[in-house]
Amino acid sequence: MENTTLYRIGELAKAGSVSERTIDYYTKLGLVSPEKRTLKNYRLYSHETLARLKRINELKQEKYTLEEIKATLEKWDLVSEETQVSDKLTHLELHMQQLEREVRELSPLMRDMKPSQARHMLLNLLPQGAACIEALRLLLGQGPFT
């Protein structure tokens, strides 16, 4: 489901951990743009703009110049949603393969443990992590820990 929150500049600045002046500057440079304006001419920015601000900050941390960041963002804007989804799925598939290898490496160690020890280890994980590990074990045909 799409997030339809619209932010005024002060809200966006706070949520994006930047100053209002930075947002003004980025708007002038064309790095971000308001979604629409209110009747009183306040700029309203979308949730996508917040995500874009976070990407800009990440690229700045990697020592990219604002010109390089603008060029990168423009390239990303040209990439179709289908390509983005395909790239994400490829990334997830590679990540799943890595997780499968790691579960296979852990399996002999877990088998050598007493069932109560294995259960105790799983209970100390976050519920999502434990569920993910169980799902991977089932996918690998090893069944749940008993």
Side-chain angles (χ1 to χ4, degrees):
M1 184 167 189
E2 176 179 324
N3 189 334
T4 57
T5 302
L6 292 177
Y7 301 90
R8 287 176 53 172
I9 192 168
E11 298 166 328
L12 181 68
K14 186 175 181 181
S17 301
V18 297
S19 70
E20 290 181 31
R21 288 183 65 193
T22 297
I23 294 173
D24 280 335
Y25 185 59
Y26 288 175
T27 301
K28 284 181 181 115
L29 291 177
L31 291 170
V32 298
S33 58
E35 188 75 18
K36 63 182 184 178
R37 290 186 178 264
T38 66
L39 293 174
K40 293 186 177 184
N41 210 28
Y42 290 115
R43 290 173 286 175
L44 296 176
Y45 294 88
S46 68
H47 184 73
E48 288 76 23
T49 304
L50 178 59
R52 192 172 178 99
L53 269 179
K54 290 179 180 178
R55 272 188 247 135
I56 292 168
N57 284 333
E58 289 167 3
L59 291 168
K60 280 177 62 179
Q61 292 296 317
E62 294 174 21
K63 306 293 184 217
Y64 286 93
T65 67
L66 289 178
E67 284 181 10
E68 292 170 326
I69 292 170
K70 184 176 182 180
T72 300
L73 292 174
E74 286 171 354
K75 285 180 194 170
W76 288 349
D77 289 343
L78 294 175
V79 175
S80 71
E81 283 187 32
E82 185 177 317
T83 302
Q84 290 177 25
V85 170
S86 176
D87 289 349
K88 284 263 190 221
L89 288 173
T90 300
H91 176 75
L92 284 172
E93 183 178 13
L94 292 171
H95 195 67
M96 286 291 293
Q97 290 170 358
Q98 176 63 34
L99 289 172
E100 285 177 17
R101 282 192 295 275
E102 291 177 19
V103 168
R104 282 191 186 104
E105 291 172 11
L106 274 176
S107 290
L109 299 172
M110 297 294 285
R111 272 194 299 270
D112 292 343
M113 293 179 138
K114 295 178 183 170
S116 61
Q117 287 175 310
R119 262 194 307 278
H120 177 72
M121 287 183 69
L122 282 176
L123 290 174
N124 286 326
L125 295 173
L126 291 175
Q128 301 90 335
C132 184
I133 289 171
E134 287 295 319
L136 281 169
R137 288 183 55 80
L138 288 171
L139 283 171
L140 295 171
Q142 298 174 352
F145 291 112
T146 54

